[in-house]
mmCIF file of all heavy atoms in Angstrom:
data_model
loop_
_atom_site.group_PDB
_atom_site.id
_atom_site.type_symbol
_atom_site.label_atom_id
_atom_site.label_comp_id
_atom_site.label_asym_id
_atom_site.label_seq_id
_atom_site.Cartn_x
_atom_site.Cartn_y
_atom_site.Cartn_z
ATOM 1 N N ILE A 124 -16.503 27.764 7.967
ATOM 2 C CA ILE A 124 -16.144 27.012 6.826
ATOM 3 C C ILE A 124 -16.167 28.019 5.710
ATOM 4 O O ILE A 124 -17.192 28.620 5.359
ATOM 5 C CB ILE A 124 -17.166 25.789 6.507
ATOM 6 C CG1 ILE A 124 -17.134 24.828 7.711
ATOM 7 C CG2 ILE A 124 -16.768 25.149 5.207
ATOM 8 C CD1 ILE A 124 -18.036 23.702 7.577
ATOM 9 N N ALA A 125 -15.003 28.081 4.996
ATOM 10 C CA ALA A 125 -14.860 29.017 3.874
ATOM 11 C C ALA A 125 -14.559 28.252 2.646
ATOM 12 O O ALA A 125 -13.908 27.203 2.535
ATOM 13 C CB ALA A 125 -13.649 29.809 4.072
ATOM 14 N N ALA A 126 -15.379 28.582 1.493
ATOM 15 C CA ALA A 126 -15.196 27.946 0.153
ATOM 16 C C ALA A 126 -14.294 28.807 -0.668
ATOM 17 O O ALA A 126 -14.619 30.018 -0.787
ATOM 18 C CB ALA A 126 -16.499 27.690 -0.366
ATOM 19 N N LEU A 127 -13.258 28.195 -1.263
ATOM 20 C CA LEU A 127 -12.310 28.984 -1.958
ATOM 21 C C LEU A 127 -12.344 28.444 -3.491
ATOM 22 O O LEU A 127 -12.486 27.228 -3.716
ATOM 23 C CB LEU A 127 -10.903 28.730 -1.532
ATOM 24 C CG LEU A 127 -10.595 29.408 -0.196
ATOM 25 C CD1 LEU A 127 -10.992 28.563 1.030
ATOM 26 C CD2 LEU A 127 -9.052 29.783 -0.062
ATOM 27 N N ASP A 128 -12.160 29.405 -4.353
ATOM 28 C CA ASP A 128 -12.178 29.077 -5.784
ATOM 29 C C ASP A 128 -10.797 28.739 -6.372
ATOM 30 O O ASP A 128 -9.825 28.675 -5.512
ATOM 31 C CB ASP A 128 -12.924 30.118 -6.744
ATOM 32 C CG ASP A 128 -12.139 31.386 -6.627
ATOM 33 O OD1 ASP A 128 -11.136 31.500 -5.969
ATOM 34 O OD2 ASP A 128 -12.686 32.405 -7.216
ATOM 35 N N LYS A 129 -10.637 28.611 -7.633
ATOM 36 C CA LYS A 129 -9.308 28.365 -8.246
ATOM 37 C C LYS A 129 -8.219 29.312 -7.798
ATOM 38 O O LYS A 129 -7.076 28.940 -7.704
ATOM 39 C CB LYS A 129 -9.274 28.336 -9.731
ATOM 40 C CG LYS A 129 -10.223 27.293 -10.322
ATOM 41 C CD LYS A 129 -10.252 27.302 -11.887
ATOM 42 C CE LYS A 129 -11.452 26.729 -12.394
ATOM 43 N NZ LYS A 129 -11.784 26.942 -13.792
ATOM 44 N N THR A 130 -8.566 30.530 -7.699
ATOM 45 C CA THR A 130 -7.454 31.599 -7.383
ATOM 46 C C THR A 130 -7.224 31.576 -5.953
ATOM 47 O O THR A 130 -6.370 32.478 -5.449
ATOM 48 C CB THR A 130 -7.952 32.965 -7.877
ATOM 49 O OG1 THR A 130 -9.077 33.363 -7.294
ATOM 50 C CG2 THR A 130 -8.200 32.908 -9.407
ATOM 51 N N GLY A 131 -7.935 31.061 -5.098
ATOM 52 C CA GLY A 131 -7.836 31.093 -3.660
ATOM 53 C C GLY A 131 -8.670 32.029 -3.024
ATOM 54 O O GLY A 131 -8.549 32.402 -1.815
ATOM 55 N N THR A 132 -9.579 32.699 -3.760
ATOM 56 C CA THR A 132 -10.439 33.769 -3.213
ATOM 57 C C THR A 132 -11.640 33.011 -2.528
ATOM 58 O O THR A 132 -12.222 32.070 -2.929
ATOM 59 C CB THR A 132 -11.091 34.560 -4.375
ATOM 60 O OG1 THR A 132 -9.970 35.059 -5.201
ATOM 61 C CG2 THR A 132 -11.822 35.791 -3.842
ATOM 62 N N VAL A 133 -12.029 33.678 -1.280
ATOM 63 C CA VAL A 133 -13.138 33.172 -0.607
ATOM 64 C C VAL A 133 -14.430 33.471 -1.279
ATOM 65 O O VAL A 133 -14.695 34.635 -1.448
ATOM 66 C CB VAL A 133 -13.117 33.632 0.888
ATOM 67 C CG1 VAL A 133 -14.334 33.198 1.653
ATOM 68 C CG2 VAL A 133 -11.872 33.278 1.664
ATOM 69 N N VAL A 134 -15.169 32.530 -1.676
ATOM 70 C CA VAL A 134 -16.359 32.682 -2.374
ATOM 71 C C VAL A 134 -17.479 32.796 -1.461
ATOM 72 O O VAL A 134 -18.416 33.539 -1.691
ATOM 73 C CB VAL A 134 -16.629 31.535 -3.379
ATOM 74 C CG1 VAL A 134 -18.000 31.658 -4.084
ATOM 75 C CG2 VAL A 134 -15.389 31.378 -4.349
#
Side-chain angles (χ1 to χ4, degrees):
I124 299 176
L127 291 85
D128 63 2
K129 295 178 200 174
T130 62
T132 307
V133 175
V134 177

